[in-house]
Amino acid sequence: MISATEALQRLQEGNARFVQTDPGLASSQLSSPERREALLAGQEPFAIVLGCSDSRAPAELIFDQGLGDLFVIRVAGNVIAPSLVGSVEFAAEHFGTRLVVVMGHTQCGAVTATLQQLDEPPETRSPNLHAIVDRIRPAVAPLRDAFPDAQPADLVGRAVRANIAASANQLRHGSRILETLIRDDGLVVVGAEYSLETGRVDFFDGVPG
């Protein structure tokens, strides 16, 4: 398995192809019938991506990767819950994958909804949606006091990044298995923001120096 640094470089290069509308190999060789057959014996994803469920942010396309390249976990607001931590643990342990990317995106609906509900809690809300909002709330609520004069769009932008960083930090420090892999085996957890406007991914949290 390749190192976290090499995996990160591969993702950055793939995103550059995506931005330049140059699909590279992902739309042909890496997604071909031959590729499917080669993967029947097993998988060796070089990166784990925990991203938002937003239909505009599919990791495989954004990073121009094909079948078997990425272990992708998607949930609204890229929040961290026990089952999601377990999925990351599984991939890191069983496949030897050494890079975990928590990827949020601009204009995240889950983050925007959380900010709105700080002021106007709905009278009725699904307990399942409530669980998502409550996981985002601790990361974004302090921003209201820290930036009282911020425009709504600016506040959402800050909140998106705060939520990404909080989720990445939870993975780094909320799992004995992941903590051990980080300390002893080169596992790296980074936070990244995908821009719906430009198609670019900014790796801004926890990137190795």
Side-chain angles (χ1 to χ4, degrees):
M1 181 51 59
I2 65 175
S3 69
T5 300
E6 185 177 349
L8 181 59
Q9 181 178 355
R10 189 178 295 185
L11 291 181
Q12 291 170 325
E13 291 172 349
N15 180 240
R17 293 192 300 270
F18 172 76
V19 171
Q20 296 164 6
T21 64
D22 176 10
L25 297 176
S27 62
S28 53
Q29 292 98 317
L30 297 185
S31 301
S32 65
E34 292 78 15
R35 178 69 169 176
R36 291 200 303 272
E37 184 176 354
L39 289 169
L40 291 176
Q43 58 175 313
E44 292 184 341
F46 71 85
I48 302 163
V49 181
L50 192 156
C52 183
S53 298
D54 193 295
S55 63
R56 300 166 293 179
E60 291 90 345
L61 295 181
I62 289 168
F63 293 118
D64 190 37
Q65 301 301 318
L67 297 175
D69 289 328
L70 303 179
F71 189 91
V72 179
I73 308 155
R74 299 183 70 180
V75 60
N78 43 272
V79 298
I80 301 298
S83 60
L84 305 175
V85 176
S87 296
V88 174
E89 291 175 342
F90 172 78
E93 276 198 304
H94 288 266
F95 306 134
T97 310
R98 286 299 169 260
L99 177 67
V100 181
V101 179
V102 176
M103 187 176 73
H105 62 89
T106 57
Q107 304 179 35
C108 179
V111 172
T112 302
T114 301
L115 286 171
Q116 292 171 344
Q117 291 176 16
L118 292 177
D119 292 331
E120 300 178 3
E123 295 181 1
T124 60
R125 182 198 301 162
S126 158
N128 299 306
L129 293 176
H130 183 86
I132 294 174
V133 169
D134 283 350
R135 291 183 185 280
I136 298 174
R137 187 192 308 272
V140 305
L143 296 174
R144 284 298 180 100
D145 294 330
F147 303 97
D149 299 324
Q151 295 298 311
D154 179 56
L155 193 62
V156 170
R158 292 178 183 275
V160 164
R161 291 209 165 206
N163 183 53
I164 293 167
S167 292
N169 196 53
Q170 283 181 271
L171 287 180
R172 295 185 193 111
H173 303 291
S175 160
R176 177 183 55 80
I177 291 173
L178 297 181
E179 287 179 357
T180 299
L181 290 173
I182 290 170
R183 185 184 67 240
D184 300 335
D185 292 302
L187 182 71
V188 173
V189 179
V190 302
E193 181 185 39
Y194 170 63
S195 171
L196 296 179
E197 297 82 2
T198 68
R200 297 184 184 278
V201 177
D202 179 19
F203 295 90
F204 69 93
D205 180 74
V207 178

